[in-house]
PDB file of all heavy atoms in Angstrom:
ATOM      1  N   THR A   1      14.005  -6.440  -5.130  1.00 44.00           N
ATOM      2  CA  THR A   1      14.711  -5.342  -5.767  1.00 44.00           C
ATOM      3  C   THR A   1      14.146  -4.009  -5.308  1.00 44.00           C
ATOM      4  O   THR A   1      12.932  -3.841  -5.240  1.00 44.00           O
ATOM      5  CB  THR A   1      14.566  -5.445  -7.305  1.00 44.00           C
ATOM      6  OG1 THR A   1      15.103  -6.702  -7.723  1.00 44.00           O
ATOM      7  CG2 THR A   1      15.308  -4.325  -8.005  1.00 44.00           C
ATOM      8  N   VAL A   2      14.998  -3.053  -5.005  1.00 45.00           N
ATOM      9  CA  VAL A   2      14.560  -1.712  -4.635  1.00 45.00           C
ATOM     10  C   VAL A   2      14.455  -0.868  -5.904  1.00 45.00           C
ATOM     11  O   VAL A   2      15.426  -0.703  -6.628  1.00 45.00           O
ATOM     12  CB  VAL A   2      15.539  -1.055  -3.644  1.00 45.00           C
ATOM     13  CG1 VAL A   2      15.072   0.354  -3.296  1.00 45.00           C
ATOM     14  CG2 VAL A   2      15.664  -1.898  -2.387  1.00 45.00           C
ATOM     15  N   LEU A   3      13.251  -0.368  -6.175  1.00 43.00           N
ATOM     16  CA  LEU A   3      13.014   0.454  -7.353  1.00 43.00           C
ATOM     17  C   LEU A   3      13.002   1.925  -6.977  1.00 43.00           C
ATOM     18  O   LEU A   3      12.858   2.276  -5.804  1.00 43.00           O
ATOM     19  CB  LEU A   3      11.674   0.078  -7.991  1.00 43.00           C
ATOM     20  CG  LEU A   3      11.582  -1.320  -8.593  1.00 43.00           C
ATOM     21  CD1 LEU A   3      10.281  -1.456  -9.345  1.00 43.00           C
ATOM     22  CD2 LEU A   3      12.747  -1.617  -9.502  1.00 43.00           C
ATOM     23  N   PRO A   4      13.129   2.823  -7.961  1.00 40.00           N
ATOM     24  CA  PRO A   4      13.029   4.258  -7.660  1.00 40.00           C
ATOM     25  C   PRO A   4      11.686   4.600  -7.037  1.00 40.00           C
ATOM     26  O   PRO A   4      10.688   3.915  -7.253  1.00 40.00           O
ATOM     27  CB  PRO A   4      13.185   4.908  -9.041  1.00 40.00           C
ATOM     28  CG  PRO A   4      13.881   3.891  -9.873  1.00 40.00           C
ATOM     29  CD  PRO A   4      13.420   2.555  -9.370  1.00 40.00           C
ATOM     30  N   VAL A   5      11.650   5.694  -6.293  1.00 40.00           N
ATOM     31  CA  VAL A   5      10.424   6.126  -5.643  1.00 40.00           C
ATOM     32  C   VAL A   5       9.384   6.494  -6.689  1.00 40.00           C
ATOM     33  O   VAL A   5       9.673   7.192  -7.656  1.00 40.00           O
ATOM     34  CB  VAL A   5      10.710   7.338  -4.728  1.00 40.00           C
ATOM     35  CG1 VAL A   5       9.416   7.908  -4.162  1.00 40.00           C
ATOM     36  CG2 VAL A   5      11.659   6.942  -3.619  1.00 40.00           C
ATOM     37  N   LEU A   6       8.168   5.995  -6.515  1.00 43.00           N
ATOM     38  CA  LEU A   6       7.082   6.395  -7.398  1.00 43.00           C
ATOM     39  C   LEU A   6       6.718   7.853  -7.119  1.00 43.00           C
ATOM     40  O   LEU A   6       6.692   8.278  -5.957  1.00 43.00           O
ATOM     41  CB  LEU A   6       5.855   5.510  -7.163  1.00 43.00           C
ATOM     42  CG  LEU A   6       6.014   4.027  -7.477  1.00 43.00           C
ATOM     43  CD1 LEU A   6       4.736   3.297  -7.112  1.00 43.00           C
ATOM     44  CD2 LEU A   6       6.321   3.819  -8.936  1.00 43.00           C
ATOM     45  N   PRO A   7       6.410   8.627  -8.160  1.00 44.00           N
ATOM     46  CA  PRO A   7       6.123  10.054  -7.937  1.00 44.00           C
ATOM     47  C   PRO A   7       4.990  10.313  -6.963  1.00 44.00           C
ATOM     48  O   PRO A   7       5.009  11.309  -6.248  1.00 44.00           O
ATOM     49  CB  PRO A   7       5.763  10.544  -9.344  1.00 44.00           C
ATOM     50  CG  PRO A   7       6.428   9.579 -10.262  1.00 44.00           C
ATOM     51  CD  PRO A   7       6.401   8.263  -9.558  1.00 44.00           C
ATOM     52  N   ASP A   8       3.992   9.423  -6.935  1.00 47.00           N
ATOM     53  CA  ASP A   8       2.832   9.668  -6.081  1.00 47.00           C
ATOM     54  C   ASP A   8       2.845   8.799  -4.831  1.00 47.00           C
ATOM     55  O   ASP A   8       1.821   8.602  -4.211  1.00 47.00           O
ATOM     56  CB  ASP A   8       1.536   9.440  -6.858  1.00 47.00           C
ATOM     57  CG  ASP A   8       1.463   8.027  -7.437  1.00 47.00           C
ATOM     58  OD1 ASP A   8       2.482   7.317  -7.417  1.00 47.00           O
ATOM     59  OD2 ASP A   8       0.385   7.654  -7.920  1.00 47.00           O
ATOM     60  N   SER A   9       3.989   8.260  -4.460  1.00 47.00           N
ATOM     61  CA  SER A   9       4.046   7.382  -3.302  1.00 47.00           C
ATOM     62  C   SER A   9       4.072   8.179  -2.000  1.00 47.00           C
ATOM     63  O   SER A   9       4.650   9.256  -1.929  1.00 47.00           O
ATOM     64  CB  SER A   9       5.282   6.489  -3.365  1.00 47.00           C
ATOM     65  OG  SER A   9       5.150   5.545  -4.387  1.00 47.00           O
ATOM     66  N   ASP A  10       3.448   7.618  -0.993  1.00 52.00           N
ATOM     67  CA  ASP A  10       3.428   8.222   0.340  1.00 52.00           C
ATOM     68  C   ASP A  10       3.801   7.139   1.333  1.00 52.00           C
ATOM     69  O   ASP A  10       3.025   6.217   1.580  1.00 52.00           O
ATOM     70  CB  ASP A  10       2.030   8.769   0.635  1.00 52.00           C
ATOM     71  CG  ASP A  10       1.939   9.371   2.032  1.00 52.00           C
ATOM     72  OD1 ASP A  10       2.961   9.359   2.756  1.00 52.00           O
ATOM     73  OD2 ASP A  10       0.851   9.845   2.387  1.00 52.00           O
ATOM     74  N   PRO A  11       5.021   7.170   1.900  1.00 46.00           N
ATOM     75  CA  PRO A  11       5.447   6.113   2.810  1.00 46.00           C
ATOM     76  C   PRO A  11       4.529   5.937   4.008  1.00 46.00           C
ATOM     77  O   PRO A  11       4.557   4.898   4.659  1.00 46.00           O
ATOM     78  CB  PRO A  11       6.848   6.571   3.241  1.00 46.00           C
ATOM     79  CG  PRO A  11       7.306   7.478   2.144  1.00 46.00           C
ATOM     80  CD  PRO A  11       6.064   8.169   1.667  1.00 46.00           C
ATOM     81  N   SER A  12       3.731   6.935   4.356  1.00 48.00           N
ATOM     82  CA  SER A  12       2.822   6.805   5.487  1.00 48.00           C
ATOM     83  C   SER A  12       1.491   6.165   5.103  1.00 48.00           C
ATOM     84  O   SER A  12       0.612   6.013   5.944  1.00 48.00           O
ATOM     85  CB  SER A  12       2.559   8.190   6.093  1.00 48.00           C
ATOM     86  OG  SER A  12       1.822   8.997   5.181  1.00 48.00           O
ATOM     87  N   GLU A  13       1.347   5.802   3.849  1.00 67.00           N
ATOM     88  CA  GLU A  13       0.086   5.266   3.346  1.00 67.00           C
ATOM     89  C   GLU A  13      -0.287   3.971   4.071  1.00 67.00           C
ATOM     90  O   GLU A  13       0.573   3.231   4.545  1.00 67.00           O
ATOM     91  CB  GLU A  13       0.251   4.988   1.849  1.00 67.00           C
ATOM     92  CG  GLU A  13      -1.031   4.784   1.095  1.00 67.00           C
ATOM     93  CD  GLU A  13      -0.721   4.644  -0.385  1.00 67.00           C
ATOM     94  OE1 GLU A  13       0.135   5.383  -0.868  1.00 67.00           O
ATOM     95  OE2 GLU A  13      -1.336   3.779  -1.013  1.00 67.00           O
ATOM     96  N   VAL A  14      -1.586   3.673   4.101  1.00 80.00           N
ATOM     97  CA  VAL A  14      -2.052   2.477   4.784  1.00 80.00           C
ATOM     98  C   VAL A  14      -1.613   1.224   4.035  1.00 80.00           C
ATOM     99  O   VAL A  14      -1.324   1.258   2.846  1.00 80.00           O
ATOM    100  CB  VAL A  14      -3.592   2.494   4.898  1.00 80.00           C
ATOM    101  CG1 VAL A  14      -4.060   3.675   5.700  1.00 80.00           C
ATOM    102  CG2 VAL A  14      -4.249   2.496   3.513  1.00 80.00           C
ATOM    103  N   ASP A  15      -1.551   0.145   4.765  1.00 90.00           N
ATOM    104  CA  ASP A  15      -1.275  -1.173   4.182  1.00 90.00           C
ATOM    105  C   ASP A  15      -2.529  -1.605   3.419  1.00 90.00           C
ATOM    106  O   ASP A  15      -3.574  -1.881   4.016  1.00 90.00           O
ATOM    107  CB  ASP A  15      -0.948  -2.143   5.313  1.00 90.00           C
ATOM    108  CG  ASP A  15      -0.639  -3.551   4.838  1.00 90.00           C
ATOM    109  OD1 ASP A  15      -0.996  -3.904   3.696  1.00 90.00           O
ATOM    110  OD2 ASP A  15      -0.056  -4.310   5.629  1.00 90.00           O
ATOM    111  N   GLN A  16      -2.445  -1.658   2.096  1.00 94.00           N
ATOM    112  CA  GLN A  16      -3.627  -1.945   1.290  1.00 94.00           C
ATOM    113  C   GLN A  16      -4.197  -3.328   1.579  1.00 94.00           C
ATOM    114  O   GLN A  16      -5.420  -3.496   1.717  1.00 94.00           O
ATOM    115  CB  GLN A  16      -3.290  -1.811  -0.196  1.00 94.00           C
ATOM    116  CG  GLN A  16      -2.938  -0.383  -0.590  1.00 94.00           C
ATOM    117  CD  GLN A  16      -2.580  -0.225  -2.051  1.00 94.00           C
ATOM    118  OE1 GLN A  16      -2.516  -1.195  -2.804  1.00 94.00           O
ATOM    119  NE2 GLN A  16      -2.342   1.006  -2.472  1.00 94.00           N
ATOM    120  N   LEU A  17      -3.334  -4.338   1.678  1.00 94.00           N
ATOM    121  CA  LEU A  17      -3.833  -5.692   1.905  1.00 94.00           C
ATOM    122  C   LEU A  17      -4.508  -5.813   3.267  1.00 94.00           C
ATOM    123  O   LEU A  17      -5.563  -6.446   3.397  1.00 94.00           O
ATOM    124  CB  LEU A  17      -2.692  -6.700   1.786  1.00 94.00           C
ATOM    125  CG  LEU A  17      -3.091  -8.167   1.953  1.00 94.00           C
ATOM    126  CD1 LEU A  17      -4.175  -8.580   0.959  1.00 94.00           C
ATOM    127  CD2 LEU A  17      -1.874  -9.073   1.833  1.00 94.00           C
ATOM    128  N   ALA A  18      -3.930  -5.201   4.290  1.00 94.00           N
ATOM    129  CA  ALA A  18      -4.553  -5.242   5.620  1.00 94.00           C
ATOM    130  C   ALA A  18      -5.914  -4.567   5.590  1.00 94.00           C
ATOM    131  O   ALA A  18      -6.865  -5.023   6.237  1.00 94.00           O
ATOM    132  CB  ALA A  18      -3.642  -4.578   6.643  1.00 94.00           C
ATOM    133  N   THR A  19      -6.027  -3.462   4.837  1.00 95.00           N
ATOM    134  CA  THR A  19      -7.311  -2.774   4.712  1.00 95.00           C
ATOM    135  C   THR A  19      -8.344  -3.674   4.048  1.00 95.00           C
ATOM    136  O   THR A  19      -9.496  -3.764   4.492  1.00 95.00           O
ATOM    137  CB  THR A  19      -7.146  -1.484   3.894  1.00 95.00           C
ATOM    138  OG1 THR A  19      -6.208  -0.629   4.557  1.00 95.00           O
ATOM    139  CG2 THR A  19      -8.468  -0.744   3.750  1.00 95.00           C
ATOM    140  N   PHE A  20      -7.954  -4.356   2.987  1.00 96.00           N
ATOM    141  CA  PHE A  20      -8.880  -5.255   2.293  1.00 96.00           C
ATOM    142  C   PHE A  20      -9.314  -6.405   3.208  1.00 96.00           C
ATOM    143  O   PHE A  20     -10.492  -6.760   3.267  1.00 96.00           O
ATOM    144  CB  PHE A  20      -8.228  -5.840   1.036  1.00 96.00           C
ATOM    145  CG  PHE A  20      -7.782  -4.845   0.019  1.00 96.00           C
ATOM    146  CD1 PHE A  20      -6.737  -5.137  -0.850  1.00 96.00           C
ATOM    147  CD2 PHE A  20      -8.401  -3.603  -0.097  1.00 96.00           C
ATOM    148  CE1 PHE A  20      -6.324  -4.228  -1.797  1.00 96.00           C
ATOM    149  CE2 PHE A  20      -7.987  -2.686  -1.050  1.00 96.00           C
ATOM    150  CZ  PHE A  20      -6.937  -2.999  -1.903  1.00 96.00           C
ATOM    151  N   ALA A  21      -8.345  -6.996   3.901  1.00 96.00           N
ATOM    152  CA  ALA A  21      -8.659  -8.136   4.769  1.00 96.00           C
ATOM    153  C   ALA A  21      -9.635  -7.725   5.861  1.00 96.00           C
ATOM    154  O   ALA A  21     -10.572  -8.469   6.185  1.00 96.00           O
ATOM    155  CB  ALA A  21      -7.372  -8.695   5.374  1.00 96.00           C
ATOM    156  N   ASP A  22      -9.432  -6.538   6.430  1.00 96.00           N
ATOM    157  CA  ASP A  22     -10.323  -6.047   7.475  1.00 96.00           C
ATOM    158  C   ASP A  22     -11.714  -5.767   6.919  1.00 96.00           C
ATOM    159  O   ASP A  22     -12.727  -6.101   7.552  1.00 96.00           O
ATOM    160  CB  ASP A  22      -9.726  -4.783   8.102  1.00 96.00           C
ATOM    161  CG  ASP A  22     -10.571  -4.252   9.247  1.00 96.00           C
ATOM    162  OD1 ASP A  22     -10.693  -4.950  10.267  1.00 96.00           O
ATOM    163  OD2 ASP A  22     -11.126  -3.151   9.105  1.00 96.00           O
ATOM    164  N   ALA A  23     -11.793  -5.162   5.725  1.00 96.00           N
ATOM    165  CA  ALA A  23     -13.086  -4.811   5.139  1.00 96.00           C
ATOM    166  C   ALA A  23     -13.894  -6.046   4.776  1.00 96.00           C
ATOM    167  O   ALA A  23     -15.124  -6.036   4.853  1.00 96.00           O
ATOM    168  CB  ALA A  23     -12.873  -3.939   3.900  1.00 96.00           C
ATOM    169  N   LEU A  24     -13.218  -7.128   4.386  1.00 97.00           N
ATOM    170  CA  LEU A  24     -13.907  -8.334   3.930  1.00 97.00           C
ATOM    171  C   LEU A  24     -14.001  -9.405   5.013  1.00 97.00           C
ATOM    172  O   LEU A  24     -14.703 -10.406   4.824  1.00 97.00           O
ATOM    173  CB  LEU A  24     -13.207  -8.919   2.706  1.00 97.00           C
ATOM    174  CG  LEU A  24     -13.587  -8.337   1.338  1.00 97.00           C
ATOM    175  CD1 LEU A  24     -13.191  -6.881   1.216  1.00 97.00           C
ATOM    176  CD2 LEU A  24     -12.958  -9.145   0.212  1.00 97.00           C
ATOM    177  N   GLY A  25     -13.273  -9.238   6.111  1.00 97.00           N
ATOM    178  CA  GLY A  25     -13.249 -10.271   7.135  1.00 97.00           C
ATOM    179  C   GLY A  25     -12.577 -11.547   6.650  1.00 97.00           C
ATOM    180  O   GLY A  25     -13.005 -12.651   6.992  1.00 97.00           O
ATOM    181  N   CYS A  26     -11.509 -11.389   5.865  1.00 97.00           N
ATOM    182  CA  CYS A  26     -10.826 -12.534   5.248  1.00 97.00           C
ATOM    183  C   CYS A  26      -9.440 -12.735   5.847  1.00 97.00           C
ATOM    184  O   CYS A  26      -8.831 -11.805   6.382  1.00 97.00           O
ATOM    185  CB  CYS A  26     -10.660 -12.297   3.748  1.00 97.00           C
ATOM    186  SG  CYS A  26     -12.172 -12.469   2.787  1.00 97.00           S
TER     187      CYS A  26
END
């Protein structure tokens, strides 16, 4: 489902899960 834009969202933001996987080596 497509929800309304969050007020503090930034479409250029990093992929959070990819960042976590890289930081933990998982």
Side-chain angles (χ1 to χ4, degrees):
T1 301
V2 179
L3 294 188
V5 173
L6 297 177
D8 57 349
S9 290
D10 178 0
S12 67
E13 196 175 319
V14 299
D15 180 342
Q16 294 179 356
L17 182 57
T19 300
F20 301 153
D22 183 65
L24 275 65
C26 286

